[in-house]
C-alpha cells in the first residue's frame, strides 16, 4: 500500500509539473480587414491595402498603436473574412475601424444581421470589441449600426470637433482626473468625430458639450468600447504634428491596458 501511495503521489507530482511547464499563451488582438478593406495603387499601378492597418507606417497607419500592443506582449493578427465564432475563437480583442463606404471601396463589405449576431455572441462569450467609426463623410453608419445597436450604441453620423488648419484647440478634449480608462493623461485630440446615442446596456465614459463621445457596454462576459473616430492612427500619436500638451500616445497606452484588463476568455 505504501508503494502504491508513493507511486500515485509521484504521478500526481509529474502531472502538475507537466501542467506548470505548459506555455501560457499571450493575448491576441485581431484587426478587421473585411469591413475596412481599402486599396490604392502604387507608382507601378499595383494595388495594395492601406488605411488604418497594422503595417502602415505613414500617417494613416496603425503601426505605432501596433507597437504598443507588442510592448505589452499581445499577439497581433488581422481578419480578411466576415467574422464568425469559429474564426474569432482564438481572439481576445477584435477591433473594427472605419467601415467602408461605396466611395472607398467598389464593393464594400457592409455589416449585416448575420455578421452582427456572430460578433454579439463572441462578445457575450467573453470577447472584447473595439468599434471606431469616423465622421459623416468617411464611414458607413446605416449598416454598421446594426452591430453597434446590439450593444445599445448608435453612431449618429455627424461630425463634431471640426478643425480649421492647425487650430488644434478645436479638437481638444480635457480628460477629468481619475478617469476610469484614461487615468494617465490630461488632454487629448480627436477631430471630426461621430457622437453617440446610448441605451442600456451601454453607458457613457466620456461626454463633452452635451454629446456622448465614448461609451462602453458590458454584455455577458464581454466588453465593448466605442468612439466615433479612428483616433489612434499614426498622425496623431507620433508626436510630430500635435503640440506636446496633447497626450494621444499616452491615451493609446491607457486604452490598450484597459482592454487587456477586460479579457475574460
Amino acid at each position: 500500500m505504501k508503494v502504491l501511495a508513493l507511486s500515485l503521489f509521484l504521478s500526481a507530482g509529474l502531472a502538475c509539473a507537466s501542467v506548470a511547464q505548459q506555455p501560457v499563451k499571450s493575448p491576441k488582438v485581431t484587426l478587421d480587414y473585411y469591413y475596412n478593406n481599402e486599396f490604392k495603387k502604387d507608382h507601378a499601378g499595383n494595388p495594395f491595402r492601406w488605411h488604418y492597418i497594422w503595417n502602415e507606417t505613414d500617417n494613416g497607419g496603425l503601426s505605432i498603436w501596433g507597437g504598443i500592443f507588442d510592448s505589452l506582449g499581445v499577439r497581433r493578427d488581422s481578419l480578411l473574412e466576415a467574422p464568425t465564432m469559429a474564426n474569432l475563437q482564438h481572439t481576445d480583442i477584435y477591433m473594427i475601424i472605419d467601415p467602408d463606404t461605396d466611395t472607398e471601396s467598389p464593393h464594400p463589405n457592409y455589416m449585416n444581421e448575420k455578421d452582427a449576431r456572430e460578433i454579439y455572441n463572441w462578445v457575450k462569450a467573453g470577447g472584447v470589441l473595439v468599434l471606431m467609426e469616423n465622421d459623416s463623410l468617411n464611414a458607413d453608419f446605416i449598416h454598421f449600426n446594426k452591430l453597434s445597436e446590439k450593444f445599445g450604441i448608435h453612431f449618429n453620423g455627424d461630425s463634431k470637433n471640426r478643425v480649421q488648419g492647425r487650430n488644434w484647440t478645436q479638437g481638444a478634449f480635457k480628460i477629468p482626473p481619475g478617469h476610469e480608462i484614461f487615468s494617465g493623461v490630461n488632454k487629448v485630440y480627436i477631430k471630426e468625430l461621430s457622437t453617440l446615442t446610448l441605451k442600456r446596456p451601454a453607458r457613457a465614459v466620456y461626454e463633452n458639450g452635451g454629446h456622448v463621445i465614448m461609451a462602453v457596454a458590458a454584455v455577458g462576459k464581454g466588453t465593448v468600447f466605442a468612439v466615433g473616430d479612428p483616433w489612434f492612427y499614426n498622425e496623431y500619436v507620433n508626436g510630430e504634428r500635435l503640440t506636446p500638451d496633447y497626450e494621444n500616445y499616452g491615451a493609446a497606452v491607457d486604452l490598450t491596458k484597459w482592454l487587456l484588463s477586460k479579457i475574460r476568455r
Side-chain angles (χ1 to χ4, degrees), residues 114-191:
K114 177 181 179 297
D115 295 356
R117 177 58 57 180
E118 291 283 330
I119 298 170
Y120 177 87
N121 289 336
W122 173 80
V123 171
K124 190 175 181 180
V128 179
L129 177 65
V130 178
L131 303 177
M132 289 186 165
E133 262 280 8
N134 214 322
D135 68 300
S136 57
L137 298 177
N138 291 295
D140 168 62
F141 293 93
I142 295 174
H143 304 89
F144 198 69
N145 274 324
K146 294 178 181 179
L147 170 63
S148 60
E149 288 175 358
K150 289 189 177 300
F151 307 104
I153 300 167
H154 175 86
F155 288 96
N156 294 326
D158 49 1
S159 184
K160 299 298 181 183
N161 273 28
R162 299 192 67 83
V163 176
Q164 283 76 46
R166 292 178 173 266
N167 189 4
W168 307 131
T169 58
Q170 293 176 317
F173 285 123
K174 292 289 185 68
I175 304 297
H179 190 273
E180 64 181 280
I181 300 176
F182 304 103
S183 60
V185 300
N186 298 304
K187 186 167 74 168
V188 299
Y189 179 88
I190 314 178
K191 70 167 187 173

